[in-house]
């Protein structure tokens, strides 16, 4: 376990008690975005949800704030799951962390009333960052030296490696903390994918009859297939596979288009050489040469842009804020055309 102290106000900027109040009481949030636990058990959805309708169509799993607050008063912990999907500040944090680590991440938040504990001692199958954003919570963390206590308060971030047994109890006030789980990509996963592709090319023929009495009948054929597979493995290109893995990750993240409607409105009123633009949070901008074009990996997809504007793209890749007029090796009109496209695609946004 590792503990880091930072600005106490930073966590509340990402997810505050007021933010959670808004999500739970003013929006049509539904399960499975919310679950509830008490004394180590997950409560049935019917105990905190209701039905409804929209345009004549039935809706199920709507969170009932009256039922939910009653359960909170009775000591239940409210869990907001997959927050990165519907709360932009958490989504920005998760997207930036994914680019730093190269691993998929997800975020949950835990709202626990004073003195309560939502879950018994347990361990997770992934690494976890824990950020306390409101109140305090005492964590019981089990390591090689036995259990130890750690008090988390706003500004304290803890890192728990995979498999670390832990439990946590709120102290004198309601506690809110954010956990970011790291869904690790592993060597085994990468090798299974590539070797599995080679195995799929092995002929799916029957084993020879009679091998039960004479297993040696399998030996020659097995030796041939193993040798062929070994040769195929040796021919794999590590550099190419590594580049492919990076490109797949940098073009397969969830879309991030917050503000896209406002940007389109700005496009109709005009973007000039002096318009202030910025890279959208959580978007990479990685350039891959591809003949007479450049593939631009922007997170959720790949753009293909003529290679003659590569210097301008390099400027975009290395600057979080810019204007079209700053782009090198291109005239003002071409720079504006390029920036308009990058705004439409979501890599850039108009600074507001």
């Amino acid at each position: 376990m590792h503990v880091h102290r930072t600005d106490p106000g930073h966590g509340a900027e990402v997810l505050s008690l007021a933010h959670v109040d808004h999500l739970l009481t003013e929006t049509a949030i539904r399960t499975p975005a919310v679950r509830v636990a008490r004394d180590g058990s997950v409560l049935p959805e019917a105990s905190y949800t209701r039905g409804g309708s929209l345009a004549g169509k039935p809706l199920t799993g709507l969170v009932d704030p009256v039922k939910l607050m009653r359960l909170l008063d009775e000591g239940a912990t409210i869990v907001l799951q997959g927050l990165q999907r519907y709360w932009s500040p958490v989504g920005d944090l998760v997207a930036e962390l994914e680019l730093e680590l190269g691993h998929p991440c997800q975020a949950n938040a835990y709202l626990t009333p004073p003195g309560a504990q939502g879950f018994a001692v347990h361990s997770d199958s992934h690494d976890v960052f824990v950020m306390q954003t409101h109140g305090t919570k005492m964590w019981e963390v089990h390591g090689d030296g036995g259990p130890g206590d750690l008090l988390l308060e706003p500004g304290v971030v803890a890192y728990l490696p995979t498999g670390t047994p832990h439990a946590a109890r709120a102290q004198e006030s309601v506690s809110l903390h954010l956990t970011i789980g790291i869904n690790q990509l592993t060597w085994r996963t990468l090798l299974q994918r590539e070797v599995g592709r080679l195995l799929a090319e092995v002929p799916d023929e029957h084993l020879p009859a009679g091998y039960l009495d004479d297993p040696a009948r399998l030996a020659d054929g097995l030796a041939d297939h193993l040798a062929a597979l070994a040769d195929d493995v040796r021919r794999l290109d590590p550099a190419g596979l590594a580049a492919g893995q990076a490109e797949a990750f940098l073009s397969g993240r969830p879309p991030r288009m917050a503000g896209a409607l406002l940007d389109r409105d700005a496009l109709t009123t005009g973007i000039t050489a002096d318009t202030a633009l910025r890279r959208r949070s959580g978007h990479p901008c990685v350039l891959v040469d591809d003949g007479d074009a450049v593939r631009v990996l922007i997170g959720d997809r790949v753009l293909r842009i003529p290679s003659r504007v590569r210097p301008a793209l390099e400027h975009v890749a290395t600057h979080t804020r810019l204007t079209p007029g700053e782009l090198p090796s291109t005239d003002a009109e071409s720079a504006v055309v390029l920036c308009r496209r990058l705004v439409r695609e979501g890599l850039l946004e108009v600074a507001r």
Side-chain angles (χ1 to χ4, degrees), residues 244-267:
Q245 168 63 29
E247 181 164 337
F249 189 90
L250 292 171
S251 60
R253 312 317 307 139
R256 299 185 53 73
M257 294 291 287
L261 182 59
L262 298 176
D263 287 334
R264 275 156 175 73
D265 183 59
L267 287 173

Side-chain angles (χ1 to χ4, degrees), residues 37-192:
R38 183 172 56 201
D39 299 328
S41 299
V42 176
L43 302 185
E45 292 182 1
S47 64
Y48 57 91
T49 63
R50 60 182 177 85
S53 64
L54 179 64
K57 302 288 187 180
L59 294 176
T60 60
L62 288 166
V63 169
D64 185 325
V66 174
K67 293 180 179 178
L68 199 64
M69 292 304 109
R70 185 179 298 125
L71 290 173
L72 186 70
D73 291 340
E74 295 171 355
T77 289
I78 300 170
V79 185
L80 292 98
Q81 303 189 120
L83 263 171
Q84 77 281 358
R85 296 183 179 276
Y86 55 91
W87 188 247
S88 292
V90 172
D92 291 344
L93 176 62
V94 166
E96 295 289 350
L97 186 60
E98 286 186 335
L99 295 183
E100 288 290 332
L101 299 178
H103 296 271
C105 301
Q106 66 176 38
N108 294 346
Y110 297 79
L111 179 69
T112 305
Q117 176 176 313
F119 298 93
V121 175
H122 66 284
S123 59
D124 297 314
S125 60
H126 50 263
D127 293 2
V128 171
F129 288 103
V130 182
M131 176 189 295
Q132 189 76 22
T133 71
H134 184 90
T136 58
K137 209 165 196 181
M138 183 66 74
W139 284 66
E140 175 189 335
V141 181
H142 294 249
D144 294 338
D149 291 336
L150 171 65
L151 181 66
L152 287 191
E153 55 190 1
V156 178
V157 179
Y159 166 71
L160 278 64
T162 298
T164 303
H166 61 275
R169 182 177 296 277
Q171 299 301 287
E172 290 78 14
S173 64
V174 64
S175 165
L176 175 64
H177 76 265
L178 181 70
T179 67
I180 299 179
I182 316 300
N183 299 315
Q184 303 100 322
L185 300 173
T186 66
W187 289 111
R188 180 184 297 176
T189 300
L190 183 58
L191 291 174
Q192 281 179 334

Side-chain angles (χ1 to χ4, degrees), residues 113-330:
Q117 176 176 313
F119 298 93
V121 175
H122 66 284
S123 59
D124 297 314
S125 60
H126 50 263
D127 293 2
V128 171
F129 288 103
V130 182
M131 176 189 295
Q132 189 76 22
T133 71
H134 184 90
T136 58
K137 209 165 196 181
M138 183 66 74
W139 284 66
E140 175 189 335
V141 181
H142 294 249
D144 294 338
D149 291 336
L150 171 65
L151 181 66
L152 287 191
E153 55 190 1
V156 178
V157 179
Y159 166 71
L160 278 64
T162 298
T164 303
H166 61 275
R169 182 177 296 277
Q171 299 301 287
E172 290 78 14
S173 64
V174 64
S175 165
L176 175 64
H177 76 265
L178 181 70
T179 67
I180 299 179
I182 316 300
N183 299 315
Q184 303 100 322
L185 300 173
T186 66
W187 289 111
R188 180 184 297 176
T189 300
L190 183 58
L191 291 174
Q192 281 179 334
R193 185 183 69 199
E194 297 304 325
V195 176
R197 179 177 57 82
L198 297 177
L199 284 172
E201 298 174 2
V202 176
D204 198 18
E205 300 171 349
H206 295 171
L207 299 180
Y211 79 88
L212 295 179
D213 294 325
D214 183 12
R217 294 172 68 92
L218 290 181
D220 290 343
L222 186 58
D224 290 342
H225 287 307
L226 287 174
L229 178 62
D231 289 341
D232 289 340
V233 170
R234 279 189 287 268
R235 282 192 291 267
L236 290 175
D237 175 18
L241 295 178
Q245 168 63 29
E247 181 164 337
F249 189 90
L250 292 171
S251 60
R253 312 317 307 139
R256 299 185 53 73
M257 294 291 287
L261 182 59
L262 298 176
D263 287 334
R264 275 156 175 73
D265 183 59
L267 287 173
T268 63
T269 59
I271 287 180
T272 69
D274 297 323
T275 300
L277 306 172
R278 64 188 174 204
R279 287 254 304 283
R280 195 180 297 274
S281 177
H283 270 277
C285 181
V286 177
L287 311 181
V288 180
D289 290 321
D290 187 10
D292 60 353
V294 176
R295 295 203 309 278
V296 187
L297 315 181
I298 66 169
D300 62 317
R301 75 204 101 108
V302 181
L303 309 181
R304 189 176 173 86
I305 296 179
S307 58
R308 65 177 179 274
V309 297
R310 196 185 206 286
L313 292 171
E314 290 174 346
H315 187 89
V316 173
T318 54
H319 292 76
T320 55
R321 292 180 176 269
L322 57 103
T323 65
E326 297 172 5
L327 300 186
S329 303
T330 184

